[in-house]
Amino acid sequence: MGVISTDSPDSAAAATARPAMARVPLARTLVFGAVALLLFLLVVLPFGWVLNNSVHDDLTGAWTLGNYARIFQSADLLEPLFNSLLLAVATAVIAVGIGVPLAWLVSRTDLPFRRTIRVLTLTAFVTPSFIGATGWILLAAPNSGWLNALWRSLAGTEAGPLLNIYSMTGAIFICGIYTVPYSFTMVSSALDEMAVELEDAAATLGSGTLRTMLSITIPLVTPAVIASFILSFIQGLTLFGVPAFLLTPTGIPVVTTKLAEFYQLFPPEIFLAAAYCMPLLLVTAMLFWMRRRILGRKQFVTISGKSRAGRRIALGAARWPAFGAALLLPLVSVFLPYAALLLVSLTRAWGQGLSWENLSLYWYWWALFGNSETHTAIVNSLLFSTLAATLCVMLGTVVAYIVERRMVFGASLFGAVATVPIIIPGIVMSVGFFAAYTRAPLNLYGTPLLLVAAFAATFLPIAYAHGGSILKGIGPELERAARSLGAGEGRTFLSITIPLMGGGLLSGWFLVFIPIIRELSVAVFLITPKTNVMTTLIYNAKDGGNYEAVCAMSVLLLLITLALVAAAGPLTRLTTVRRTSRKTGRKSAPAEGVLPT
Amino acid sequence: MSGIRIKNLRKSFGAYTALHGIDLQVPNGTLLALLGPSGCGKSTTLQLLAGFEAPTEGEIWADDVLLSSARGVLPPEKRGISLVFQNYAVWPHKTVAENVAFGLAIRRLPKAEIAERLDRTLRTVRLEALRDRYPSELSGGQQQRVALARALAVEPRILLLDEPLSNLDAHLREEMRFEIRQVHDLLGLTTVYVTHDQSEALVTADRIAVMKSGHLQQLGSPEDIFERPSNAFVATFIGANNELAGTSEGNGAIRVGGHVLTAPDRSGAAHGGTVSLCVRPSQVRLFGAEETGLPAEGCNVLSGTVQRSAYLGEYRDVLVDLGGGRTLRAFIPPAQSFAPGSVVTALLPIGSCQILGPAA
């Protein structure tokens, strides 16, 4: 190396030397071991049992491929598959067909009351679709539905019902309107984050508003539109509550309701059910793979620029008609069903019609205090959801940290396992947990732990992805600085990383708590009378026909959910790390939104 | 022998080799600058020194302790090495005082001692008045001082600085250079300072290690590096330089195009080897083609056409086209002036020229 002048260190001593602290600390081994074990118990084991059961015979327990053969040979089992596909396609078409124009109106134009429309769409988002379906049963059941009654009073008693919610059309309508918020949120956030300069650049080159929209704006949000189509499709495919409420009574089976049926047979055909999960799993896995491919590197969210200041497309004379159209979705997904639920819940006996004497808060009193079953379910819902969300966020965050900082060899495998539940429909998750934990040595059937674990596993991908995205925003130098000052890995994580994640962690907690408390399908095979939650109680009570109680419970669940959503924003802001001193009184940066994009 | 000893340090990331076996010595109490363009391996060297990466081969010693080898790495928190980051990495959720005291709290020092050392360190970097501020309320230069104070408070054995000034504006950068040198003189810490800015390295360092593509090019004092560069890359990287590529004619002669020029030969190249004639623009003198009686004694003489000329107040920066795709830069007295297109004669004093080989 020519001119370089260095004395070589004493190589005789160095040859056999090894740094003093090369061994792996015990705490590190314990943490990684615990994470690996939890991931195994929550994801690998239930999923493995589904696979294993699917190739065994229900009666003999022998190894067989007969379950799969049965699915493709029996028309009885093929019909639900086609129905599910129909429901999924139609749901996705409605979701994108309404969601995309709505997103454009709200994000890009001078539509009046844009914020209100946004909030109402968000309200539809947090409304469990099976509760929406309940509301619409009150509105559009062929005989007793209020809208049909109204129609008969106008068109004469001889006229047939105007609407029949107990039909494929009805189910598509409900799945569609409650899936619109997904496509709306994804596309509007893509539009919001798109750099205004990109459109300006086209304008300076002489492109008009319409031309710009067609050749710049639309292509830029196309990935978001396609991704939301896929997500909506999966939603339509995997929903359980809506078809159970609207299609089962008329004998139209879909995959999810058929799965429930296997469990109700005697003897239950649990292994066949496991095999029957596979087509559903295959389709969702394929679609998520496609979604990944589409979003891939060309992620639409990366086209961000300065915040757009006010400049919007003027709708002119179309402003108010557009507002009317934009109000249609909140009308059918929020106002009408909420009003129906509220009214029925406030009547002592629905059948006696609306009158002052019939109005009462009885059913709320009954649900909260008068009936031990509902009381237990409410307590369980809150308790299980809190525990599950906490477990989910803790595990998701630690896994995200291990993956993001590549702390062990094969860290990305941890991430892959934590992501797997995203392709597992809730009802399949339920099948898996039932299979894995209703046997020795881990018989958890009837314990709260089973539900908490199933909830946590189902929403682990959300917590993991959310944790990862927060961590991406925290430069590793901030942690390395602590390390170089003498803090170990654990100390650094607790005193630097966690405080910096701050409000983001809380918003992640709400992000999983809200879907957990409204989740029905995961719980459906796992509950026992003692571990009933609000959603399953509503689901089961509906069969009993006690609509006043069902409505009161539904309204309570909606109130709890909406209150949480309302509280999430301010709470998250409060706990967001204070980055200015009190003296100067500058405001801290606003926390990120609580709802998924 | 004490201080930092780096022995045959190699680092590969998959197929890419960032460091090709570096040997370096930093005696205790000296400030070494690792200087080079981006991708030269200087930051990798620093990450290895700090213990965030494990070497593929080679060893790092501090005094008589082995810090890193291919067989294992002493974790960063056990090394007694403080690191100041390019983007400061000041924790936004802690005040200035909390940032600086963090390392002291980790060491479980008595409260009184923490307070005393915190005060002393804040005084050293002149931040006493801002101790309760949050980083978002500080300027870039102040944040840089917090990062420095935080690293100094723990009284490390070794201080590492990773491009500490590159995010500051030019004016502040110049001021902070002297400040860092001053702190170093005050505390006498063994310091490794990574930078791509040669003037930063010249101002602050006792010794400079110039790196390129994972190879060490030269290790020496600032004067060594500037006046006796080991190769053409070092000469061009440090200060303004003309590099006329040619082939060695042996005996202190180089063939550049049709000319044979002479200069002290430090290339060690054999006859016919690839070498360059290097000369600083400030040493080049220009004369009009019509001028006679030039002081050409002891000079290489070239002629060319003025391509452009820029007035910079203290001097004129003139670019001369020598033909054959070669150009020559000259810094001439501002009183002298040549219009673009005029034909000039350039005198290159032989004593100011050097024949140098290519980069390692």
Side-chain angles (χ1 to χ4, degrees), chain A residues 72 77-93 168 172 229 232-238 247 252-256 276 279-280 282-284 286-287:
Chain A
F72 294 103
L77 295 178
L78 279 177
E79 192 202 346
L81 284 172
F82 291 122
N83 286 336
S84 278
L85 285 178
L86 173 66
L87 184 60
V89 172
T91 299
V93 168
M168 187 48 112
I172 288 170
F229 185 91
S232 307
F233 185 94
I234 292 171
Q235 190 73 6
L237 196 66
T238 58
L247 295 179
I252 305 173
V254 294
V255 175
T256 50
Y276 204 55
L280 210 56
L282 212 66
V283 176
T284 50
M286 213 177 65
L287 289 169

Side-chain angles (χ1 to χ4, degrees), chain B:
Chain B
M1 177 82 200
S2 54
I4 306 172
R5 286 170 300 159
I6 293 176
K7 206 189 134 192
N8 187 30
L9 193 65
R10 291 175 73 85
K11 177 67 183 172
S12 304
F13 297 98
Y16 171 71
T17 303
L19 281 182
H20 298 269
I22 298 278
D23 288 289
L24 266 181
Q25 290 261 74
V26 190
N28 273 334
T30 48
L31 195 159
L32 173 89
L34 281 180
L35 176 65
S38 60
C40 72
K42 57 188 193 295
S43 290
T44 307
T45 308
L46 204 74
Q47 295 297 319
L48 287 163
L49 269 170
F52 292 117
E53 301 278 359
T56 311
E57 208 183 308
E59 285 161 5
I60 300 172
W61 293 76
D63 295 333
D64 291 318
V65 182
L66 177 60
L67 297 181
S68 296
S69 78
R71 304 181 59 192
V73 171
L74 190 68
E77 63 269 25
K78 309 267 184 200
R79 296 186 161 224
I81 296 180
S82 284
L83 179 52
V84 175
F85 292 86
Q86 181 170 6
N87 62 2
Y88 325 136
V90 173
W91 299 308
H93 63 300
K94 292 181 186 290
T95 61
V96 169
E98 286 165 358
N99 262 284
V100 177
F102 180 83
L104 303 174
I106 293 279
R107 282 163 178 68
R108 298 178 193 282
L109 297 177
K111 275 218 172 76
E113 192 182 345
I114 292 183
E116 194 268 320
R117 277 166 73 168
L118 173 63
D119 288 342
R120 180 149 42 94
T121 316
L122 289 176
R123 253 197 322 278
T124 309
V125 297
R126 294 182 288 121
L127 278 174
E128 306 102 300
L130 304 177
R131 56 184 300 148
D132 293 324
R133 294 274 192 95
Y134 279 88
S136 62
E137 301 159 331
L138 302 178
S139 69
Q142 289 165 341
Q143 289 190 40
Q144 184 57 68
R145 288 213 287 269
V146 176
L148 188 60
R150 187 176 64 183
L152 293 173
V154 297
E155 295 173 5
R157 188 159 51 167
I158 295 163
L159 178 65
L160 306 179
L161 301 160
D162 188 3
E163 307 235 6
L165 306 182
S166 62
N167 283 355
L168 300 178
D169 60 56
H171 175 72
L172 203 55
R173 196 152 55 212
E174 213 150 296
E175 193 185 307
M176 284 296 289
R177 271 178 212 164
F178 292 107
E179 202 157 316
I180 285 176
R181 181 67 219 188
Q182 215 174 343
V183 168
H184 179 261
D185 290 340
L186 193 70
L187 304 176
L189 278 173
T190 310
T191 306
V192 177
Y193 186 123
V194 161
T195 180
H196 63 265
D197 182 330
Q198 39 118 353
S199 52
E200 231 170 88
L202 292 174
V203 169
T204 52
D206 299 311
R207 288 165 79 69
I208 297 176
V210 182
M211 297 179 69
K212 181 184 183 254
S213 344
H215 292 281
L216 184 60
Q217 306 295 326
Q218 186 171 9
L219 176 67
S221 68
E223 291 83 357
D224 279 340
I225 301 274
F226 190 82
E227 289 162 20
R228 289 174 293 282
S230 65
N231 59 44
F233 169 77
V234 176
T236 304
F237 196 73
I238 310 283
N241 185 43
N242 285 300
E243 193 181 329
L244 299 172
T247 50
S248 174
E249 292 278 302
N251 291 333
I254 173 175
R255 173 172 293 278
V256 177
H259 303 270
V260 174
L261 308 175
T262 52
D265 190 344
R266 307 186 43 241
S267 69
H271 194 282
T274 305
V275 289
S276 303
L277 181 97
C278 293
V279 60
R280 305 277 176 202
S282 54
Q283 304 296 326
V284 177
R285 284 181 288 163
L286 294 185
F287 299 94
E290 71 291 346
E291 285 185 61
T292 52
L294 302 182
E297 184 70 22
C299 288
N300 290 306
V301 182
L302 292 167
S303 68
T305 316
V306 171
Q307 204 169 34
R308 62 171 161 74
S309 171
Y311 175 67
L312 292 169
E314 289 161 43
Y315 60 94
R316 254 179 233 280
D317 183 348
V318 182
L319 189 68
V320 179
D321 185 355
L322 300 175
R326 292 185 185 81
T327 54
L328 182 74
R329 247 173 112 190
F331 297 163
I332 60 171
Q336 246 189 325
S337 167
F338 297 100
S342 45
V343 179
V344 292
T345 305
L347 298 188
L348 286 52
I350 288 171
S352 306
C353 296
Q354 311 186 51
I355 296 174
L356 298 172

